[in-house]
C-alpha cells in the first residue's frame, strides 16, 4: 500500500511562494516528477542508522528530500546536521531556537516541484499540509502554523571540486519527512492512570531509534514523571509533582534498576507506578528494582505485573452482527465464533443501527430505531446474558448516528455517546440523553470510543478530531478536541482500529476511500480505494483487544451493501433469517458491527 508523504519541520515562519533577492534568473524550466531511488543512509525498519548527509545526492529534488531527513535523531545535534546542507552565506537563515526544539509535522500534498535555472541553480517548492508539532517529550501536538503553507528552497552547486549542492535560501524551519519519522524514530506508547485510578490510558510518543537502551528506559520514566499529551490531560492524572529520575536507568541480564524522587511515595502509589512502568516498557523482561531516593522500595516482576494487571479486561471472543430487515442478526464466518442476539425479541425490530458492548458480566445495548414517519430515537438497556428491557429516549430526531459505549471500569456508571441532529449527546442505560458541549464548532456526524473508555474520535464539520473523556463523579466531560489532519476530505465515519490507530472514511480526489491513521495524524495508510459510494457506517475490531478472530478487522456499509474488509457480506452469512417468499428479492445485510 502506498504510504502518503509527510514532513516534519522545526517551528518557524513560512516563506511566501515567491523568493526575492536570491539571485535566481528569470529564464528557467519547470520540472515536476516523482521520487527516484531513496538514499541509502536510512533504514526503513528503524535499526538506528544515521540520516543521509549532504553528498548523498546531487539531484535537487532528492537533495531536498535528504535535507528533510537531516534533523532526525537526537535533538541536541539537529541544527548541526541541517546546517551541513546549507551554504556558509545562508546559515543565518536557519536560526537555532533558544527555547525547546519543536518539530512541526506536515504532509507533502504532491511531489516537489523543481525549477532548474540556466546557471546551475534551482528552486524546489514543497506544497504541504500541516499535521502537528513534535515536542522534545515525544508528543505530537496540534499544528500552530498556517494550514496550507508552501515552502521553497534555492540551491546552488557547491565549491569547485565538490560535485554536491548547497542551500542558499530556505524557510526558517528545520524539515523532516515522514520517511525519516518512520526510519529514525520508534513509536512508543506510555500509560497514565485515569482519574479514578482503575484504568490505564495510552499516550502516543516518538523516540529516536539511535538512543541506547538504558537512555530509552530513562526517557520513558521522564515522560511518565512529566505531563501527558496536551489533548489527553483532562482524562488522566500525572505522577506527584516533583517526581523525576535521579540518574539513568541501569540494567543487564534481566534485571533493571530505576531510581526516583517521588513525594508521598506510599505503597499504593508505588503499586500503580509499577503497573505503569511494566506496560510503558513492554520490551523489558525479568525484574525491575524501583528505588526512591536510593532506597529500594519495590521489586517488580515485569511479566507477572502485566499478567496480574491487564490493560483491558477480557471480554471473551468477539461476535459479529448486522441489521437485516430492521432486526439484529448474527453473522457467521468459518472458524469464528457467533452467538445469539442478546436483546429480547420484542425489541428487535425497526432498528437502523446498534452498538453492543460487554462490561464485566453485563451486556450493554444501544439501538437506533425508526418509526413510520422515519424519525429516529435511541433505545438503551443492560442485562446479563440478554438485555430484558430497553428504554427509549424522550425525544425523536430527524437523524441519530451510530451509538458508542464508553468502556468504563465503573459498573455503577455506564454511559455512551451518540450524535443526534448534529449534536453530541451523552446517554445512559435508561436512554437518558444529555447534550455534551464541545470546544469546536460545526455539526457532529460521528463518534467512536477507544477500548480504554477515556478517548474518543469525532467527525465535526467533515474533519477528524480526538478528545479525552473524564468520568469524574459520573459526569461525562469532553476535553478540548485535538484536530487529526488527514489527506481526505468530507469524512463520513470513524472507529478505533488499535490503541493508537483510527480507521476512517472520506473522499480522496472526490472518490470514497477508507484509510488508517495514527491517533496524532503522523502516518496514514490507505485500506480501501475501490468503494464507489460514500461509506455510511463503519465498525472495527481493534488490534490489541482480547478475542479469537484476527485483529485489525473492519466492517462497513456503502450504498446499502455491507462489507467485511474488502469482501461483501452475503445473505447466506446472516443467521436466523427466514427466506423471502418466492419471487421476492432478498434484502441486503446492513450496518455490520462487533460485540466484544
Amino acid at each position: 500500500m502506498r504510504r502518503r508523504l509527510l514532513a516534519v519541520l522545526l517551528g518557524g515562519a513560512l516563506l511566501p511562494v515567491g523568493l526575492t533577492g536570491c539571485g535566481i534568473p528569470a529564464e528557467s524550466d519547470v520540472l515536476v516528477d516523482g521520487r527516484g531511488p531513496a538514499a541509502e543512509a536510512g533504514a526503513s525498519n528503524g535499526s538506528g542508522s544515521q540520516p543521509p548527509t549532504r553528498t548523498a545526492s546531487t539531484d535537487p529534488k532528492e537533495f531536498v528530500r535528504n535535507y528533510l531527513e537531516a534533523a532526525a535523531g537526537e535533538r541536541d545535534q539537529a541544527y548541526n546536521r541541517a546546517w551541513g546542507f546549507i551554504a556558509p552565506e545562508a546559515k543565518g537563515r536557519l536560526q537555532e531556537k533558544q527555547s525547546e526544539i519543536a518539530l512541526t509535522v506536515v504532509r507533502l500534498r504532491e511531489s516537489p516541484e523543481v525549477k532548474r535555472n540556466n546557471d546551475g541553480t534551482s528552486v524546489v517548492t514543497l506544497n504541504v499540509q500541516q499535521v502537528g508539532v513534535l515536542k522534545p517529550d515525544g508528543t505530537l501536538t496540534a499544528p500552530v502554523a498556517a494550514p496550507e503553507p508552501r515552502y521553497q528552497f534555492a540551491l546552488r552547486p557547491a565549491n569547485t571540486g565538490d560535485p554536491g549542492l548547497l542551500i542558499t535560501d530556505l524557510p526558517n524551519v528545520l524539515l523532516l519527512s515522514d520517511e525519516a519519522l518512520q526510519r529514525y524514530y520508534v513509536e512508543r506508547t506510555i500509560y497514565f492512570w485515569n482519574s479514578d485510578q482503575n484504568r490505564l490510558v495510552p499516550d502516543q510518543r516518538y523516540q529516536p531509534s539511535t538512543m541506547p537502551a538504558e537512555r530509552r528506559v530513562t526517557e520513558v520514566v521522564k515522560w511518565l514523571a512529566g505531563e501527558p499529551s496536551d489533548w489527553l490531560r483532562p482524562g488522566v492524572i500525572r505522577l506527584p509533582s516533583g517526581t523525576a529520575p535521579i540518574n539513568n536507568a541501569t540494567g543487564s541480564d534481566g534485571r533493571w534498576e530505576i531510581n526516583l524522587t517521588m513525594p508521598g511515595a506510599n505503597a499504593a502509589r508505588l503499586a500503580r507506578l509499577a503497573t505503569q512502568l511494566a506496560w510503558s516498557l513492554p520490551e523489558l523482561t525479568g525484574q525491575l528494582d524501583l528505588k526512591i531516593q536510593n532506597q529500594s522500595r519495590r521489586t517488580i516482576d515485569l511479566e507477572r505485573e502485566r499478567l496480574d494487571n491487564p490493560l483491558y479486561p477480557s471480554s471473551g471472543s468477539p461476535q459479529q452482527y448486522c441489521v437485516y430487515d430492521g432486526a439484529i442478526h448474527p453473522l457467521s464466518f468459518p472458524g469464528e465464533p457467533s452467538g445469539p442476539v442478546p436483546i429480547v425479541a420484542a425489541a428487535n425490530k425497526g432498528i437502523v443501527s446498534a452498538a453492543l458492548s460487554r462490561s464485566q458480566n453485563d451486556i450493554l445495548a444501544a439501538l437506533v430505531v425508526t418509526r413510520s414517519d422515519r424519525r429516529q430515537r435511541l433505545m438503551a438497556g443492560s442485562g446479563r446474558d440478554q438485555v430484558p428491557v430497553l428504554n427509549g429516549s424522550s425525544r425523536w430526531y430527524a437523524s441519530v448516528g451510530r451509538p458508542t459505549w464508553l468502556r468504563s471500569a465503573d459498573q455503577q456508571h455506564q454511559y455512551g455517546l451518540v450524535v443526534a441532529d448534529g449534536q453530541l449527546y451523552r446517554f445512559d442505560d435508561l436512554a437518558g440523553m444529555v447534550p455534551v458541549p464541545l470546544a469546536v464548532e460545526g455539526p457532529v456526524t460521528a463518534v467512536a470510543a477507544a477500548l480504554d473508555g477515556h478517548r474518543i474520535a469525532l467527525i465535526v464539520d467533515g474533519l477528524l478530531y480526538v478528545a479525552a473523556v473524564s468520568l469524574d463523579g459520573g459526569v461525562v466531560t469532553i476535553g478540548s478536541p485535538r484536530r487529526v489532519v488527514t489527506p481526505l476530505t468530507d469524512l463520513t465515519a470513524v472507529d478505533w482500529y488499535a490503541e493508537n490507530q483510527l480507521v476512517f472514511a472520506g473522499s480522496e480526489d472526490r472518490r470514497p476511500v477508507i484509510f488508517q491513521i495514527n491517533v496524532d495524524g503522523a502516518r496514514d495508510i490507505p485500506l480501501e480505494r475501490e468503494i464507489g459510494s460514500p461509506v455510511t457506517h463503519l465498525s472495527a475490531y481493534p488490534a490489541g483487544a482480547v478475542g479469537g478472530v484476527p485483529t485489525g478487522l473492519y466492517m462497513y456499509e456503502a450504498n446499502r451493501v455491507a462489507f467485511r474488509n474488502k469482501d461483501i457480506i452475503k445473505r447466506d452469512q446472516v443467521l436466523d433469517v427466514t427466506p423471502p417468499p418466492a419471487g421476492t428479492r432478498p434484502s441486503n445485510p446492513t450496518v455490520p458491527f462487533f460485540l466484544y
Side-chain angles (χ1 to χ4, degrees):
M1 285 181 271
R2 180 173 64 89
R3 295 178 185 265
R4 310 275 307 191
L5 184 65
L6 53 88
V8 178
L9 306 131
L10 224 66
L14 301 180
L15 289 182
V17 172
L19 288 174
T20 60
C22 59
I24 301 172
E27 55 276 353
S28 60
D29 297 325
V30 175
L31 175 65
V32 180
D33 58 2
R35 180 164 191 179
E40 295 295 331
S44 61
N45 62 359
S47 62
S49 57
Q50 297 295 326
T53 62
R54 180 184 66 85
T55 57
S57 177
T58 58
D59 175 78
K61 181 165 66 70
E62 278 302 306
F63 179 83
V64 170
R65 285 186 181 273
N66 288 344
Y67 173 78
L68 302 186
E69 300 187 358
E74 305 265 7
R75 297 292 176 93
D76 58 351
Q77 293 298 313
Y79 278 97
N80 287 335
R81 291 191 293 270
W83 284 332
F85 284 71
I86 302 172
E89 69 272 18
K91 279 187 166 56
R93 294 183 180 274
L94 181 64
Q95 298 177 357
E96 186 170 5
K97 307 301 178 185
Q98 298 304 311
S99 57
E100 66 177 18
I101 301 176
L103 302 146
T104 300
V105 180
V106 302
R107 178 178 292 113
L108 285 181
R109 299 180 63 85
E110 56 191 26
S111 182
E113 178 184 294
V114 181
K115 180 185 293 184
R116 301 178 187 272
N117 303 305
N118 295 336
D119 63 353
T121 63
S122 56
V123 174
V124 179
T125 302
L126 307 178
N127 183 17
V128 303
Q129 180 187 48
Q130 295 277 348
V131 173
V133 178
L134 186 63
K135 296 294 187 69
D137 65 359
T139 60
L140 186 63
T141 63
V144 296
E148 303 294 340
R150 300 183 75 191
Y151 294 97
Q152 285 191 331
F153 297 84
L155 312 180
R156 70 163 173 83
N159 300 325
T160 304
D162 184 343
L165 298 172
L166 289 168
I167 299 173
T168 58
D169 204 357
L170 72 162
N172 187 23
V173 291
L174 193 57
L175 300 163
L176 195 74
S177 71
D178 71 324
E179 293 177 346
L181 194 64
Q182 296 172 33
R183 289 177 178 175
Y184 308 115
Y185 291 83
V186 177
E187 292 184 13
R188 298 205 64 122
T189 302
I190 63 172
Y191 296 88
F192 291 92
W193 287 102
N194 65 356
S195 56
D196 291 331
Q197 301 184 92
N198 57 15
R199 178 72 55 81
L200 287 173
V201 182
D203 193 1
Q204 174 88 53
R205 303 291 173 108
Y206 297 88
Q207 197 171 58
S209 59
T210 54
M211 188 176 289
E214 290 183 1
R215 285 196 49 221
R216 288 192 190 189
V217 174
T218 303
E219 194 79 357
V220 168
V221 176
K222 288 181 180 178
W223 291 346
L224 290 174
E227 295 283 354
S229 293
D230 292 346
W231 70 273
L232 200 60
R233 290 176 189 174
V236 299
I237 59 173
R238 56 168 296 183
L239 294 176
S241 179
T243 302
I246 292 176
N247 45 36
N248 283 341
T250 58
S252 63
D253 299 328
R255 190 169 187 92
W256 287 80
E257 181 180 294
I258 292 175
N259 192 11
L260 299 169
T261 60
M262 184 179 180
N266 55 32
R269 283 180 171 173
L270 291 176
R272 290 191 293 269
L273 177 57
T275 307
Q276 280 183 273
L277 289 167
W279 283 110
S280 299
L281 296 165
E283 73 276 20
L284 299 190
T285 58
Q287 291 187 329
L288 190 154
D289 188 15
L290 182 56
K291 293 185 175 182
I292 303 299
Q293 294 181 312
N294 302 310
Q295 299 296 315
S296 183
R297 295 287 300 274
R298 188 179 182 95
T299 299
I300 307 166
D301 182 326
L302 293 164
E303 293 175 327
R304 173 53 56 185
E305 188 72 25
R306 296 177 196 122
L307 288 172
D308 291 345
N309 298 280
L311 284 174
Y312 311 110
S314 174
S315 59
S317 297
Q319 296 163 12
Q320 298 161 80
Y321 295 86
C322 73
V323 173
Y324 188 90
D325 281 342
I328 297 174
H329 288 268
L331 289 170
S332 175
F333 300 100
E336 298 177 17
S338 62
V341 177
I343 62 173
V344 293
N348 196 12
K349 60 184 179 181
I351 296 172
V352 177
S353 66
L356 301 176
S357 179
R358 292 193 181 100
S359 176
Q360 296 185 25
N361 295 322
D362 287 345
I363 296 287
L364 306 176
L367 316 178
V368 178
V369 300
T370 188
R371 63 187 186 188
S372 58
D373 63 358
R374 298 189 177 181
R375 292 188 67 82
Q376 300 174 355
R377 74 167 175 172
L378 182 74
M379 306 285 291
S382 62
R384 282 298 171 103
D385 297 324
Q386 187 182 69
V387 179
V389 177
L390 285 108
N391 306 281
S393 60
S394 59
R395 286 182 55 192
W396 292 79
Y397 301 86
S399 176
V400 179
R402 182 174 74 95
T404 185
W405 287 99
L406 297 172
R407 296 177 181 274
S408 173
D410 182 359
Q411 285 286 97
Q412 304 303 313
H413 299 96
Q414 298 291 355
Y415 293 113
L417 295 170
V418 68
V419 175
D421 292 349
Q423 166 73 49
L424 183 66
Y425 289 86
R426 181 212 78 189
F427 67 87
D428 56 22
D429 57 0
L430 298 178
M433 294 176 59
V434 178
V436 178
L438 290 175
V440 291
E441 296 182 354
V444 185
T445 53
V447 61
L451 277 169
D452 51 83
H454 291 274
R455 299 175 302 161
I456 60 171
L458 298 153
I459 295 177
V460 183
D461 202 19
L463 303 175
L464 181 60
Y465 294 86
V466 290
V469 178
S470 173
L471 298 172
D472 287 345
V475 177
V476 177
T477 304
I478 308 297
S480 181
R482 190 260 203 233
R483 168 101 184 268
V484 180
V485 180
T486 80
L488 307 186
T489 59
D490 303 321
L491 306 188
T492 59
V494 65
D495 205 352
W496 290 81
Y497 203 46
E499 270 194 332
N500 292 308
Q501 297 281 333
L502 301 169
V503 57
F504 67 106
S507 295
E508 179 187 49
D509 300 326
R510 299 184 179 181
R511 295 184 308 163
V513 294
I514 295 175
F515 269 50
Q516 171 186 351
I517 198 167
N518 279 24
V519 70
D520 52 26
R523 182 188 301 185
D524 62 271
I525 303 172
L527 298 177
E528 180 57 66
R529 280 195 165 108
E530 304 297 329
I531 298 175
S533 300
V535 173
T536 51
H537 174 92
L538 179 62
S539 177
Y541 175 65
V546 176
V549 304
T551 58
L553 280 177
Y554 62 95
M555 299 191 291
Y556 68 95
E557 178 191 308
N559 196 27
R560 299 289 294 173
V561 177
F563 296 81
R564 191 174 93 138
N565 288 22
K566 297 185 179 184
D567 299 324
I568 293 177
I569 298 175
K570 300 176 182 178
R571 156 69 179 74
D572 58 10
Q573 293 172 311
V574 182
L575 300 180
D576 306 329
V577 172
T578 303
T584 303
R585 183 178 179 179
S587 302
N588 289 327
T590 61
V591 293
F593 61 95
F594 297 89
L595 165 61
Y596 56 93

